[in-house]
């Protein structure tokens, strides 16, 4: 062998060492086999299959394939074609894993050899599966939330949104294909009361990417939507912005209703305190007067006036307490009815007779029109309460002018109408006055708890009837009670 031959041999030896070193540091398994018999392999292949690399030499490549894939592997290496394919491999402990094989046929002095590079896919499959699970969980979370979510990247391109976002803004899904935030904003701006402010706020946030914000959007259809915005980050880097939209219409209305209820409660407590205190004070004065009038020289007329005043104040206190008890019973669903044969004409006459002293004192005329008995199966006490409340209101708000009561049978129903010629009720107050604690006039000028008409309506409706109001401000009011001849569920005997 000459000097040149020796140099060539050293070069080839160094090249083989370099190739072996490259194979040994590779993360992929590499093997050379001859007709399926392993001639050599790298360390990565041994680790992949759970063998010492030297122990694999002389063994069949088919031992590394899952039994149901051995014929497939044999057919591939016998074809001698350059191929890339997927198989299931078997480790030394019997477990299976997914693998990718890239194989080529090489010509060597001893004949044709097959080189195979094997990549373990089990790790990447697990990672891909984990990513898919995470994405699926994220999507399910976004779709189940009650908030509308929109995510845009740093360039303003829409990268993510949920179904709630589309419904909240009434955006067709085809409008979101390849959409930008500008496209979305143009579509939704027409739904807002103040679109200019909407655009201005968005622009300000994009010019200050670190900023977080919350504000409320008012829609033309009456909805209120809270808008939250914060930057989207990966580590310390801002890559976009997340928008969250929440419909708070019901919440705000409930808050407003609660505020009104608290305001009404406070006003009611003040009125109730005043209403209860006034007759108590008058009663105390009457009692002191009676106590001081015990000697024989006291004027009998004075004593009579004191007694009558005391009786009126006691009756007033009883009425106020009764109204409070009735409200409690109504709220608790405990306002039962005692049903009997009742003549509505008699109820009206008895109530007017009860008011006679007050009518005479205030010089108010009261007329009853009742041509024939109107007898139904009703609760007499409750209907007396209805008539008392209506006549009492006519006296209170009638400006001393005549009051007219009419009892009749109309379309097979009993009807009681009470009409006055007083101050009337403003149109915008005509619904409110049937609610509890609501008043159409100031409590400074007219006494009462604001419960009478509320209780009256509840009693009428519990009989299956209706209570109707007709009123013109400054001209008077007419309340009409119409009752079926039997309370629902009752059968006339």
């Amino acid at each position: 062998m000459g000097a040149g031959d020796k140099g060539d041999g050293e070069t080839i030896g160094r090249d083989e060492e370099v190739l072996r070193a490259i194979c040994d540091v590779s993360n992929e398994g590499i093997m050379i086999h001859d007709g399926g018999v392993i001639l050599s392999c790298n360390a990565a292949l041994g680790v992949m299959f759970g063998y010492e690399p030297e122990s694999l030499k002389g063994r069949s490549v088919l031992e590394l394939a899952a039994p149901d894939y051995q014929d497939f592997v044999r057919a591939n290496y016998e074809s001698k074609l350059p191929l890339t394919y997927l198989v299931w491999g078997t480790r030394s402990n019997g477990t299976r894993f997914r693998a990718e094989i890239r194989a080529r046929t090489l010509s060597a002095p001893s004949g044709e050899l097959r080189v195979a590079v094997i990549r373990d896919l089990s790790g990447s499959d697990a990672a891909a599966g984990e990513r898919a699970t995470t994405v699926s969980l994220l999507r399910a979370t976004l779709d189940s939330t009650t908030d509308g979510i929109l995510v845009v990247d740093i360039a303003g391109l829409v990268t993510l949104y949920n179904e709630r976002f589309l419904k909240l803004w009434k955006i067709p899904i085809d409008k979101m294909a390849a959409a930008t935030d500008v496209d979305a904003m143009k579509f939704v701006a027409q739904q807002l009361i103040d679109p200019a402010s909407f655009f201005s706020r968005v622009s300000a946030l994009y010019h200050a990417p670190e900023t977080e914000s919350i504000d409320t959007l008012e829609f033309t259809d009456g909805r209120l939507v809270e808008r939250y915005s914060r930057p989207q980050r990966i580590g310390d880097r801002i890559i976009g912005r997340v928008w969250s939209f929440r419909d708070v219409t019901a919440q705000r209305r409930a808050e407003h209703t609660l505020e009104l209820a608290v305001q009404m409660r406070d006003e009611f407590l003040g009125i109730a305190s005043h209403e209860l205190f006034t007759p108590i004070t008058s009663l105390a004065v009457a009692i002191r007067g009676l106590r001081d009038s015990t000697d024989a020289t006291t004027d009998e007329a004075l004593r009579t006036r004191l007694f009558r005043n005391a009786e009126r104040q006691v009756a007033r206190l009883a009425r106020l307490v009764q109204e409070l008890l009735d409200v409690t019973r109504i709220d608790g669903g405990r306002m039962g009815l005692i049903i009997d044969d009742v003549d509505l004409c008699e109820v009206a006459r008895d109530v007017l007779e009860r008011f006679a002293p007050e009518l005479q004192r205030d010089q108010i005329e009261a007329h009853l029109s009742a041509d024939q008995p109107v007898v139904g199966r009703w609760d007499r006490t409750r209907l007396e309460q209805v008539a008392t409340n209506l006549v009492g209101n006519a006296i209170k708000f009638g400006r001393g002018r005549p009051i007219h009561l009419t009892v009749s049978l109309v379309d097979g129903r009993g009807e009681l109408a009470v009409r006055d010629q007083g101050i009337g009720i403003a149109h915008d107050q005509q619904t409110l006055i049937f609610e509890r604690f609501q008043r159409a006039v100031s409590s400074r000028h007219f006494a009462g708890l604001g419960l009478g008409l509320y209780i009256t309506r509840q009693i009428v409706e519990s009989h299956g009837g209706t209570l109707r109001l007709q009123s013109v401000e400054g001209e008077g009011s007419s309340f009409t009670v119409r009752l079926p001849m039997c309370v629902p569920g009752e059968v006339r005997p």
Side-chain angles (χ1 to χ4, degrees), residues 10 15 80 98 102 140 269 279 351 357 372 390 441 482:
E10 290 177 352
D15 289 346
K80 299 182 181 181
R98 195 70 165 158
R102 302 192 305 276
L269 289 175
V351 169
Q372 60 181 353
L390 296 180
V441 293
R482 183 171 287 189

Side-chain angles (χ1 to χ4, degrees), residues 125-139:
D125 284 351
E130 185 175 344
R131 285 195 299 273
T133 300
T134 301
V135 171
S136 175
L137 179 61
L138 174 61
R139 172 55 64 185

Side-chain angles (χ1 to χ4, degrees), residues 342-352 380 383-384 387 416:
V342 178
D343 183 353
L344 199 55
C345 297
E346 289 184 4
V347 170
R349 290 191 190 97
D350 289 347
V351 169
L352 281 181
R380 181 185 181 92
L383 291 188
E384 286 179 352
L416 167 65

Side-chain angles (χ1 to χ4, degrees), residues 228-242:
Y228 305 83
S229 182
R230 61 183 305 170
Q232 181 191 12
R233 303 176 185 269
I234 293 182
D236 295 332
R237 186 165 59 96
I238 295 176
I239 64 168
R241 181 163 286 276
V242 179

Side-chain angles (χ1 to χ4, degrees), residues 124-391:
S124 60
D125 284 351
E130 185 175 344
R131 285 195 299 273
T133 300
T134 301
V135 171
S136 175
L137 179 61
L138 174 61
R139 172 55 64 185
T141 302
L142 287 177
D143 286 339
S144 64
T145 183
T146 57
D147 291 357
I149 304 295
L150 174 69
V151 183
V152 297
D153 64 17
I154 201 69
L157 186 67
V158 174
T159 59
L160 185 67
Y161 57 88
N162 65 352
E163 186 176 350
R164 178 60 181 158
F165 169 77
L166 299 180
K167 289 183 177 179
L168 192 68
W169 288 96
K170 303 176 182 177
I171 304 176
I173 192 168
D174 61 301
K175 294 288 185 182
M176 296 302 295
T180 66
D181 57 340
V182 174
D183 298 327
M185 286 191 294
K186 286 180 179 178
F187 184 84
V188 304
Q190 58 188 335
Q191 302 177 44
L192 300 172
I193 290 178
D194 188 2
S197 176
F198 172 76
F199 281 113
S200 174
R201 185 58 182 154
V202 171
S203 177
L205 287 172
Y206 281 144
H207 283 86
E210 297 276 351
T211 305
E212 297 184 11
S213 75
I214 176 173
D215 57 354
T216 301
L217 305 175
E218 295 184 65
F219 282 61
T220 55
D221 61 7
R223 287 181 296 154
L224 297 174
V225 172
E226 280 186 349
R227 174 176 59 178
Y228 305 83
S229 182
R230 61 183 305 170
Q232 181 191 12
R233 303 176 185 269
I234 293 182
D236 295 332
R237 186 165 59 96
I238 295 176
I239 64 168
R241 181 163 286 276
V242 179
W243 300 89
S244 176
F245 303 91
R246 178 176 300 174
D247 190 334
V248 294
T249 309
Q251 175 186 332
R252 295 293 177 84
R253 286 176 179 169
E255 290 172 354
H256 180 65
T257 300
L258 180 59
E259 289 175 1
L260 290 178
V262 171
Q263 180 181 340
M264 286 170 55
R265 180 204 64 188
D266 293 344
E267 183 179 349
F268 167 72
L269 289 175
I271 293 171
S273 299
H274 173 75
E275 289 296 317
L276 292 170
F277 185 75
T278 299
I280 289 174
T281 302
S282 298
L283 185 59
V285 170
I287 291 173
R288 282 198 300 270
L290 289 170
R291 183 193 61 195
D292 296 340
S293 66
T294 53
D295 74 64
T297 62
T298 303
D299 183 8
E300 185 63 30
L302 173 61
R303 186 181 289 112
T304 300
R305 285 198 303 273
L306 291 173
F307 269 117
R308 287 179 177 174
N309 184 47
E311 288 174 346
R312 283 198 303 272
Q313 302 311 321
V314 169
R316 184 176 175 184
L317 278 172
R319 187 171 64 253
L320 293 172
V321 172
Q322 182 64 50
E323 286 184 348
L324 293 173
L325 288 174
D326 283 339
V327 169
T328 302
R329 292 190 184 105
I330 292 168
D331 286 347
R334 301 189 305 274
M335 191 179 71
L337 301 177
I338 301 174
I339 306 302
D340 202 349
D341 288 334
V342 178
D343 183 353
L344 199 55
C345 297
E346 289 184 4
V347 170
R349 290 191 190 97
D350 289 347
V351 169
L352 281 181
E353 186 177 339
R354 205 172 300 142
F355 274 106
E358 186 173 346
L359 292 167
Q360 185 176 3
R361 182 193 66 205
D362 295 336
Q363 297 182 338
I364 299 173
E365 296 180 16
H367 306 280
L368 173 61
S369 298
D371 298 334
Q372 60 181 353
V374 178
V375 180
R377 296 282 294 171
W378 302 311
D379 184 321
R380 181 185 181 92
T381 301
R382 289 299 182 183
L383 291 188
E384 286 179 352
Q385 192 174 353
V386 166
T388 298
N389 286 338
L390 296 180
V391 173

